[in-house]
Amino acid sequence: MYVCYIDEAGCVGSLPSNVTNVQPVFVLCGLIVPETSITALTHEFLSLKRRFNPHLASTLEHALDIVKYEIKGAEDIRRPIRSVNRNQRRRAIGFLDNLLTLLERWNCRILPYIYIKSPVKPVKGVELYARYMQNISKGFQEFLKSHDDKGIMIADSRNHTLNVRTSHSIFTQKFKAGGDAYPNVVEMPVYGHSDNHAAIQITDILCSAILFPVAAYAYCTGHITSIHVNDNYKVLQSRYSGRIGRLSFRYSDGIRYLGGVTVSDELEGRNPNHFFGW
């Protein structure tokens, strides 16, 4: 049994110009965790959080209460990476080093989808989110098929209307007359709250502190002037893009390979190799 946890970074709003602090990138990522790894991954992630926030940890009545205090990728990791303070940057990098090591040790895989916005092309946000959820569902199905196993999907909750619309888009593919598109996925995506799921918190950090800033640096530098595009993010690309590539699940449809780090670049149509700096 496997669980695919899903979270996002950025927004699905359009980019009004090339000089704006509207987020120029949208990321949706699935984190596949073996059911047998969930307990160990959770405990080790909470331990990492306590080491990252020793002052907070010392004030808690129970050690497990640390799960309720999220380390947000955008605020607690990405912002320090932009800092001129070397110690803040080192602290953030140290946290990410350890986080990826946890995922590698516990045999996790990821399904990352990245959309690079263009100021001349409106973003159809609801359609984009639903399409990426369907892509993650397809990738998860292929992963489960390759392991001859079953799985469920748990996404970070947005709002009731969007949750229902997205799950319904999967429902229509799973129960269509022509046959189930996701036979190894046992149910529609369900929605949870991140303060109850350590793996959703991990997925948020992957999205907000690695995938988003690396994509913003790789694709938007020289095109978009924004707080979200920063030369300091180059260290994230050089340090983590290879590990992200190895964690990403790829599969063949018999004609070509799919999955991996998938990027839709509306600025210049560049392929995913640009994410890795190739």
Side-chain angles (χ1 to χ4, degrees):
M1 182 76 171
Y2 291 84
V3 182
C4 182
Y5 299 91
I6 302 168
D7 206 353
E8 65 194 79
C11 69
V12 291
S14 296
L15 201 64
S17 73
N18 64 350
V19 181
T20 174
N21 282 333
V22 173
Q23 297 174 101
V25 173
F26 174 72
V27 176
L28 193 69
C29 182
L31 170 64
I32 302 172
V33 183
E35 182 271 334
T36 53
S37 296
I38 291 174
T39 297
L41 178 66
T42 297
H43 280 296
E44 291 192 20
F45 176 64
L46 297 184
S47 177
L48 178 59
K49 287 176 71 174
R50 287 191 289 269
R51 297 202 310 271
F52 189 73
N53 279 314
H55 176 71
L56 172 62
S58 68
T59 68
L60 300 177
E61 183 176 348
H62 193 289
L64 292 179
D65 289 344
I66 194 74
V67 73
K68 297 186 293 185
Y69 298 88
E70 291 190 51
I71 294 173
K72 301 299 290 184
E75 295 299 317
D76 299 313
I77 306 295
R78 198 164 82 213
R79 184 165 61 180
I81 294 293
R82 298 195 302 266
S83 173
V84 297
N85 186 307
R86 187 179 181 185
N87 289 334
Q88 289 185 14
R89 297 198 305 271
R90 281 181 170 178
R91 180 170 176 263
I93 290 293
F95 181 85
L96 294 176
D97 284 349
N98 282 278
L99 183 70
L100 289 186
T101 297
L102 288 184
L103 300 184
E104 292 160 349
R105 178 159 62 245
W106 294 108
N107 301 311
C108 300
R109 303 299 294 274
I110 62 174
L111 301 164
Y113 286 85
I114 301 169
Y115 184 85
I116 310 299
K117 301 177 188 177
S118 167
V120 299
K121 185 171 182 178
V123 179
K124 297 180 179 179
V126 174
E127 294 179 15
L128 175 63
Y129 183 87
R131 183 170 73 250
Y132 277 4
M133 279 291 291
Q134 290 169 5
N135 290 343
I136 288 174
S137 300
K138 172 64 174 173
F140 189 37
Q141 163 60 29
E142 292 297 328
F143 175 88
L144 294 170
K145 184 170 69 173
S146 71
H147 288 73
D148 190 25
D149 213 327
K150 299 287 188 180
I152 61 170
M153 303 168 68
I154 303 175
D156 191 31
S157 184
R158 303 173 83 210
N159 64 56
H160 177 74
T161 300
L162 289 173
N163 292 350
V164 169
R165 289 185 65 174
T166 302
S167 282
H168 184 68
S169 73
I170 307 299
F171 177 90
T172 58
Q173 295 184 331
K174 188 167 180 61
F175 293 101
K176 62 185 179 181
D180 188 350
Y182 316 114
N184 294 71
V185 182
V186 299
E187 254 293 0
M188 296 330 100
V190 296
Y191 289 85
H193 297 284
S194 56
D195 50 2
N196 291 322
H197 297 280
I200 290 181
Q201 295 181 25
I202 293 172
T203 312
D204 167 75
I205 295 167
L206 281 175
C207 289
S208 300
I210 299 180
L211 295 169
F212 179 104
V214 171
Y217 170 77
Y219 293 89
C220 299
T221 299
H223 299 276
I224 305 296
T225 301
S226 167
I227 192 175
H228 304 294
V229 183
N230 191 285
D231 286 345
N232 281 9
Y233 296 157
K234 183 176 182 178
V235 68
L236 299 176
Q237 183 188 54
S238 61
R239 195 176 188 96
Y240 300 124
S241 62
R243 295 176 76 179
I244 289 294
R246 290 187 290 274
L247 281 167
S248 300
F249 175 68
R250 299 186 72 209
Y251 61 95
S252 173
D253 64 358
I255 301 174
R256 56 179 178 164
Y257 277 97
L258 301 170
V261 177
T262 303
V263 181
S264 297
D265 175 22
E266 298 293 351
L267 279 170
E268 289 199 334
R270 290 158 293 185
N271 64 33
N273 289 341
H274 214 69
F275 179 89
F276 301 94
W278 300 343

